[in-house]
Amino acid sequence: MADPSFLLVLIISVVAGFFGAMTGLGGGTIVVPVLTYLGVDIKLAIAASMVSVIATSCSAAAVYVRQGMVNLKVGMFLEMFTIVGAVIGASITLISGQQALYIAFGAVLLIAGISLFIKHRFSPGLGKKENQDRFTRWLGLDGSYDDRAEKRRIDYYPSRAALGGPLMGVAGMISGLLGIGAGAFKVLVQDLAMGLPTKVSTSTSNMIIGVTALAGSSVYLSAGLVDPNLAVPVIIGVVIGAFSGTALLTRTTNQNVRRYFIVIVVLIGIDMILRGVP
Amino acid sequence: MIEKYPRGLELLVWSILLVGLAVALCLICAGLLWEWVFQGATSGITPISATNLAGYFLITGAESLDMGIGPAILVYTGIGVLLLTPLARVLASFIFFSVVDRNWKFTSVTGFALVVLTYVLFIR
């Protein structure tokens, strides 16, 4: 197995964190395949990425919580499912062969990339009070946030929490399995299944990702797969990259740039699948 | 307008995430700088042996008592603090919902998450 230098991993992670933030897919989605191109064992790459996901989640969630964008109750309810999913997913990784992981990673990259394109076509709108089911109402997940673009306070009423929970369990499993935040899937579930406004689902997803990653990281730690010489440059690099990417993202309006990056992600996905095919 | 939960919870979560991340990154960077300045290398950190989170902290604590504070201990502690930050957030939310808000529904929800994460601490 190759042992890339600290500086090289750091630079790659900065770039991965930057593109990950720009596309909304997260740094791990890009850093894991790139590390495998350098000869790093895919399980070590997944474990290092999983720990770095905690760092990016903490920084992003802190900002969104401060802005009042996160629905803490929705996040805490869905966490129950993602934590269990992550432990199952990480445990599957430990017993999986490398080829299977390559194919799974490639398939997830393809689905995530395509879903980001499709997402623009589906606009479920805000959850309406009349559409809310009894269970979700009983949980009391309603929320509101200040929309700075529209300059008004928006109330929303999530629904179908009983469907969203198990679906988030699957997203958690993907996260634990592949060492990524799987934010794109979590946002989709909250948007399409529960009718949350996209801004709220994106920020709430960031909070959920941290706890999910902790559950996955613990499994990798107990298997001795967390190598600090790999994890440390990935943590620092992805955080720096994500900060820069987020800062630039708030200033850029060019959607084509983001689409271009998503195309790259899809191409990496195809390549990963091909590498996994015997 | 929808009544939100007390603002205190948001402040609590925000503080824990920010402080946890800042402390973790500071410790990791301090460890790396120490190694760079005094040992001139960056890849000398011994890999962590296969252990659960609880064992990780026991080993790190025992090594720091044995050999004193060094670059590797700072890096290990930084990673440990990072791992514990989401757990601390869940614990604080559990205490908030049970003691301050007296909301039994979300005391149960956060309690469940806390139980699973605590189990994960000792997973082997």
Side-chain angles (χ1 to χ4, degrees):
Chain A
M1 188 193 72
D3 188 16
S5 75
F6 180 94
L7 199 61
L8 182 61
V9 176
L10 182 72
I11 292 167
I12 287 167
S13 305
V14 171
V15 176
F18 180 83
F19 286 159
M22 289 290 286
T23 55
L25 291 173
T29 312
I30 299 164
V31 85
V32 173
V34 175
L35 283 177
T36 62
Y37 289 138
L38 295 176
V40 175
D41 183 294
I42 190 169
K43 291 186 183 181
L44 288 177
I46 286 173
S49 166
M50 188 96 271
V51 180
S52 79
V53 166
I54 299 176
T56 48
S57 159
C58 287
S59 62
V63 172
Y64 289 130
V65 167
R66 189 69 176 154
Q67 291 174 350
M69 297 296 292
V70 176
N71 187 320
L72 291 171
K73 284 186 176 174
V74 168
M76 285 167 189
F77 170 72
L78 296 176
E79 270 169 12
M80 291 196 298
F81 300 90
T82 60
I83 292 169
V84 176
V87 172
I88 295 169
S91 306
I92 293 172
T93 298
L94 296 186
I95 55 167
S96 296
Q98 304 250 342
Q99 307 299 103
L101 289 174
Y102 275 114
I103 294 172
F105 207 106
V108 166
L109 283 182
L110 278 182
I111 296 166
I114 292 165
S115 68
L116 282 175
F117 274 120
I118 295 171
K119 205 178 130 190
H120 297 290
R121 296 172 190 274
F122 285 99
S123 186
L126 302 184
K128 294 186 174 65
K129 196 170 189 177
E130 55 270 27
N131 295 339
Q132 206 175 37
D133 58 286
R134 284 178 66 183
F135 178 62
T136 312
R137 195 177 308 124
W138 177 77
L139 281 172
L141 301 179
D142 306 348
S144 60
Y145 70 99
D146 291 316
D147 194 306
R148 290 178 183 182
E150 294 186 31
K151 290 180 181 161
R152 67 185 177 102
R153 192 162 186 82
I154 294 176
D155 292 342
Y156 58 90
Y157 303 87
S159 57
R160 293 183 287 186
L163 173 68
L167 286 177
M168 287 295 272
V170 176
M173 202 171 86
I174 294 169
S175 176
L177 184 74
L178 304 174
I180 57 175
F185 295 96
K186 291 179 177 131
V187 170
L188 272 183
V189 170
Q190 292 173 73
D191 271 15
L192 301 179
M194 295 181 66
L196 283 169
T198 304
K199 285 180 182 176
V200 176
S201 57
T202 306
S203 33
T204 305
S205 165
N206 268 295
M207 190 189 78
I208 298 170
I209 283 169
V211 173
T212 313
L214 168 62
S217 299
S218 306
V219 177
Y220 293 126
L221 191 69
S222 67
L225 289 172
V226 178
D227 179 357
N229 296 307
L230 190 63
V232 165
V234 173
I235 293 168
I236 298 172
V238 168
V239 169
I240 293 171
F243 261 119
S244 327
T246 309
L248 189 69
L249 189 65
T250 54
R251 290 189 204 132
T252 183
T253 52
N254 190 349
Q255 289 293 317
N256 288 329
V257 177
R258 297 181 69 187
R259 287 194 185 119
Y260 174 69
F261 292 142
I262 294 169
V263 169
I264 294 174
V265 168
V266 170
L267 290 176
I268 295 175
I270 294 168
D271 184 56
M272 291 286 275
I273 291 173
L274 292 175
R275 288 166 73 190
V277 175
Chain B
M1 189 188 296
I2 295 169
E3 269 302 307
K4 289 184 84 171
Y5 31 78
R7 190 78 183 166
L9 181 59
E10 286 184 346
L11 192 65
L12 186 68
V13 169
W14 173 74
S15 318
I16 289 170
L17 293 178
L18 208 63
V19 171
L21 180 66
V23 170
L25 289 179
C26 284
L27 285 168
I28 291 171
C29 291
L32 288 177
L33 274 176
W34 188 335
E35 201 183 48
W36 265 327
V37 173
F38 294 104
Q39 292 167 20
T42 54
S43 58
I45 300 166
T46 319
I48 302 159
S49 52
T51 180
N52 53 34
L53 262 176
Y56 177 85
F57 283 103
L58 282 176
I59 292 168
T60 308
E63 280 187 6
S64 64
L65 286 176
D66 243 19
M67 301 180 289
I69 304 292
I73 295 295
L74 287 179
V75 171
Y76 288 149
T77 311
I79 294 174
V81 170
L82 184 65
L83 291 170
L84 283 189
T85 299
L87 181 69
R89 196 261 292 161
V90 174
L91 176 65
S93 308
F94 173 74
I95 294 169
F96 181 89
F97 281 120
S98 57
V99 178
V100 180
D101 203 31
R102 295 187 184 277
N103 180 334
W104 65 268
K105 276 182 265 185
F106 276 86
T107 300
S108 314
V109 165
T110 48
F112 176 82
L114 199 58
V115 167
V116 177
L117 288 174
T118 307
Y119 163 74
V120 158
L121 269 175
F122 297 96
I123 206 167
R124 285 208 68 88

